[in-house]
């Protein structure tokens, strides 16, 4: 059992809230869930995290303590530093499920921490694969805004500490796939129509040929649970941050257009099939007594599609985004107040949570 | 993980032809102790100096991964002003080439003056 540590009220609220506040921002299009920009940075003269050098890890951690004030001044809200050693494994997993940090950071908690703004839009991972991973998130498609925020944070850090920077290669990172701008911009999309019409595989292939990668809900190697896909840039050298963001924005707009076409096709050519599928999903979620995580996300995706197409009587705009978080195993167990719930117990509780949400 | 397997195999085989591998794997970073064989295994550099210290294979590796060797991004405010000018010059020269190619000679003349002016600063 992990030692129970009392968190500040802010950190506790961050762990408890089912939906990160910024996801409630209104967006123009229900297909685009969120945008994110992350910058990989390393301090000059300190070996990277993979060297596992105690002195280096401690030094970076101490430097991170010194960032709380500059970050507050640059961004305008307070930042909390969450030392991962002070979280239980389950609480760490919840932060991963909420996309505030990577599974990689949660794996080895010692010397690892997260600097997070009060509104949860900015989260800086400390001692991940690179010394710092600056992340800025927005609802909907707004990569320019996310970059602007990340860039300001980056400037604030650079005004205090020197970064490892190479004349030819730009910002130096542990992995050569990030060297240069160190920037990975990504957009989370709900592509239910393209998945149903089986047109996604072709699109994914052509996107990767164009230098964009498409991954599932939880990044590398994760499946496209609930028809959620993350599209991101691959190259970090030979292209500027702005050009990269503009190219990705164009690609996402095209994908949205294709998704809309797929939905129109379904509506005009297979309306009854579609309605039957969506109502069945709605019915199952309203009455099922046991739901696995995977089944829940797949049915929730159908219900969201029905909501977006105004085929189902669901009005709560945030229900999908919220349930995507609350039905994940660790968040669920936190709500159950049980860190060792069996899969069967979790599936029963998940079904209850979803039934309640659909009734309210 | 599958991704890592492909990645590492790619690192090893793409940069060094067979036979040469054994010899060059002894290369070691004098700053952090990362060896080329460990780098090939984990696919990560150990410190900023590895990019130079791990030898001539690094450049073609980056070229392969990124399909470029020219940095076009943000430049830190501190201590890199020469680099900023260099980046500007590169862009101007590119524009000049394009202007000439499209026979826009007035624009080309202007760009040439700008390049001259900027080069004098370096």
């Amino acid at each position: 059992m992990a030692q129970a540590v009392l968190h500040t009220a802010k950190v506790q609220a961050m762990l408890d809230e089912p939906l990160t506040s910024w996801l409630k921002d209104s967006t123009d299009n229900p297909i685009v869930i969120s945008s994110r920009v992350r910058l990989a940075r390393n301090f000059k003269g300190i070996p990277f995290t993979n060297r596992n050098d105690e002195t280096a890890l401690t030094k970076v951690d101490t430097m991170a303590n010194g960032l709380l004030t500059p970050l507050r001044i640059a961004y305008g809200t307070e930042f909390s530093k969450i030392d991962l050693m002070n979280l239980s494994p389950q609480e760490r997993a919840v932060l991963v499920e909420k996309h505030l940090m990577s599974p990689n950071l949660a794996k080895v908690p010692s010397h690892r921490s997260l600097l997070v703004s009060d509104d949860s839009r900015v989260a800086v991972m400390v001692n991940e694969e690179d010394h710092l991973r600056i992340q800025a998130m927005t609802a909907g498609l707004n990569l320019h805004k996310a970059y602007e925020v990340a860039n300001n944070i980056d400037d604030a850090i650079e005004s205090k500490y020197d970064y490892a920077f190479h004349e030819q290669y730009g910002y130096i990172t542990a992995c050569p796939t990030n060297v240069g701008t160190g920037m990975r911009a990504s957009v989370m999309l709900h592509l239910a129509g393209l998945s149903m019409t089986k047109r996604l595989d072709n699109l994914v292939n052509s996107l990767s040929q164009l230098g964009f990668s498409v991954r599932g809900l939880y990044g590398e190697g994760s499946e496209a649970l609930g028809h959620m896909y993350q599209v991101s840039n691959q190259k970090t050298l030979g292209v500027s941050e702005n050009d990269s963001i503009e190219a990705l924005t164009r690609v996402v707009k095209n994908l949205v257009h294709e998704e809309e076409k797929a939905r129109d096709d379904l509506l005009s050519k297979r309306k009854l099939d579609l309605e039957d599928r969506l109502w069945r999903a709605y019915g199952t979620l309203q009455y099922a007594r046991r739901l696995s995580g995977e089944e829940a996300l797949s049915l929730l995706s159908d219900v969201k599609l029905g909501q977006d197409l105004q085929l189902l009587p669901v009005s709560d705009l945030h229900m999908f985004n919220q349930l995507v978080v609350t039905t994940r195993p660790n968040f669920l167990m936190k709500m159950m107040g049980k860190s060792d719930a069996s899969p069967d117990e979790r599936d029963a509780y998940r079904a209850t949570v979803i039934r309640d949400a659909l009734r309210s | 993980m599958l991704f890592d397997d492909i990645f590492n195999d790619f690192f090893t085989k793409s940069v060094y032809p067979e036979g040469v591998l054994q010899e060059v794997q002894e290369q070691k970073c004098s700053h952090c102790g990362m060896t080329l064989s460990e780098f090939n295994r984990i696919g990560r550099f150990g410190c900023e100096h590895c990019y130079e210290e791990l030898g001539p294979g690094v450049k073609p590796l980056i070229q392969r991964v990124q399909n470029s060797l020219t940095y076009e991004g943000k430049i830190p405010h501190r201590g890199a002003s020469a680099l900023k000018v260099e980046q500007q010059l590169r862009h101007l020269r590119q524009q000049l080439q394009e202007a000439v190619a499209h026979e826009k000679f007035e624009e080309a003349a202007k760009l040439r003056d700008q390049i001259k002016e900027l080069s004098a600063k370096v």
Side-chain angles (χ1 to χ4, degrees), chain A residues 84-297:
Chain A
L84 295 203
M85 283 299 270
N86 292 339
L87 298 184
S88 69
Q90 191 191 75
E91 288 169 328
R92 294 199 287 272
V94 165
L95 292 179
V96 175
E97 287 174 352
K98 297 178 91 172
H99 293 282
L100 277 169
M101 66 185 208
S102 64
N104 197 22
L105 191 74
K107 237 185 276 172
V108 194
S110 155
H111 301 296
R112 269 71 177 174
S113 61
L114 191 69
L115 308 174
V116 52
S117 64
D118 274 1
D119 60 5
S120 301
R121 282 169 210 263
V122 181
V124 181
M125 293 189 272
V126 180
N127 274 327
E128 219 261 20
E129 176 182 304
D130 296 297
H131 293 151
L132 300 178
R133 289 274 176 106
I134 303 162
Q135 316 174 86
M137 282 84 70
T138 68
L141 176 59
N142 204 346
L143 288 168
H144 284 286
K145 176 70 190 165
Y147 178 66
E148 186 193 315
V149 171
N151 193 33
N152 285 342
I153 298 285
D154 186 47
D155 284 344
I157 298 172
E158 192 226 319
S159 67
K160 192 169 165 83
Y161 301 121
D162 279 326
Y163 282 140
F165 187 85
H166 187 283
E167 296 252 321
Q168 185 180 3
Y169 301 139
Y171 291 96
I172 292 296
T173 54
C175 184
T177 55
N178 294 317
V179 73
T181 60
M183 184 188 80
R184 195 76 63 215
S186 65
V187 178
M188 181 87 75
L189 296 146
H190 178 233
L191 301 177
L194 286 169
S195 311
M196 275 183 207
T197 52
K198 314 245 182 284
R199 280 160 56 196
L200 200 61
D201 287 351
N202 274 337
L203 281 170
V204 169
N205 279 339
S206 48
L207 281 181
S208 62
Q209 276 164 17
L210 289 169
F212 300 94
S213 69
V214 183
R215 299 171 305 167
L217 183 55
Y218 285 98
E220 252 150 49
S222 77
E223 295 162 70
L225 290 167
H227 301 139
M228 306 262 271
Y229 295 87
Q230 293 184 60
V231 185
S232 58
N233 67 305
Q234 275 174 337
K235 267 168 69 92
T236 49
L237 204 56
V239 55
S240 72
E241 292 87 350
N242 258 320
D243 288 351
S244 202
I245 280 171
E246 265 165 33
L248 181 58
T249 303
R250 274 197 302 275
V251 158
V252 168
K253 284 187 175 160
N254 277 332
L255 263 178
V256 168
H257 181 66
E258 291 298 322
E259 171 67 20
E260 281 166 345
K261 269 202 323 208
R263 293 179 179 196
D264 286 347
D265 269 4
L266 287 167
L267 276 177
S268 62
K269 293 177 193 148
R270 290 158 54 189
K271 190 166 185 200
L272 194 61
D273 284 343
L274 180 67
E275 282 184 320
D276 182 57
R277 171 171 170 163
L278 305 184
W279 278 101
R280 277 168 189 274
Y282 188 54
T284 306
L285 291 181
Q286 274 184 310
Y287 294 103
R289 285 324 196 236
R290 220 175 237 177
L291 286 166
S292 74
E294 208 173 313
E295 186 184 12
L297 278 178

Side-chain angles (χ1 to χ4, degrees), chain A residues 3-64:
Chain A
Q3 213 179 329
V5 174
L6 219 54
H7 304 305
T8 64
K10 266 186 213 168
V11 172
Q12 195 57 53
M14 199 172 293
L15 287 163
D16 291 343
E17 66 179 355
L19 187 59
T20 313
S21 56
W22 56 264
L23 264 173
K24 291 184 192 148
D25 291 355
S26 64
T27 57
D28 332 329
N29 193 311
I31 296 167
V32 188
I33 312 273
S34 59
S35 304
R36 159 188 311 251
V37 166
R38 77 106 162 99
L39 302 173
R41 295 289 187 259
N42 288 284
F43 296 125
K44 197 183 174 79
I46 305 176
F48 299 157
T49 317
N50 67 60
R51 295 285 79 197
N52 221 0
D53 174 329
E54 196 67 21
T55 321
L57 292 169
T58 311
K59 196 165 174 188
V60 169
D61 189 46
T62 311
M63 288 166 90

Side-chain angles (χ1 to χ4, degrees), chain B residues 9-59:
Chain B
D9 203 41
F10 165 77
F11 269 95
T12 319
K13 289 196 180 135
S14 62
V15 183
Y16 299 104
E18 266 171 72
V20 189
L21 201 62
Q22 230 28 46
E23 212 177 302
V24 283
Q25 286 211 340
E26 298 317 309
Q27 213 133 10
K28 191 172 179 174
C29 174
S30 67
H31 291 263
C32 73
M34 175 69 81
T35 60
L36 202 53
S37 52
E38 187 183 356
F39 169 70
N40 279 328
R41 193 163 47 78
I42 67 171
R44 304 289 184 274
F45 292 105
C47 72
E48 65 202 275
H49 306 286
C50 290
Y51 278 75
E52 302 293 345
E53 301 244 328
L54 290 184
V58 172
K59 202 179 250 189

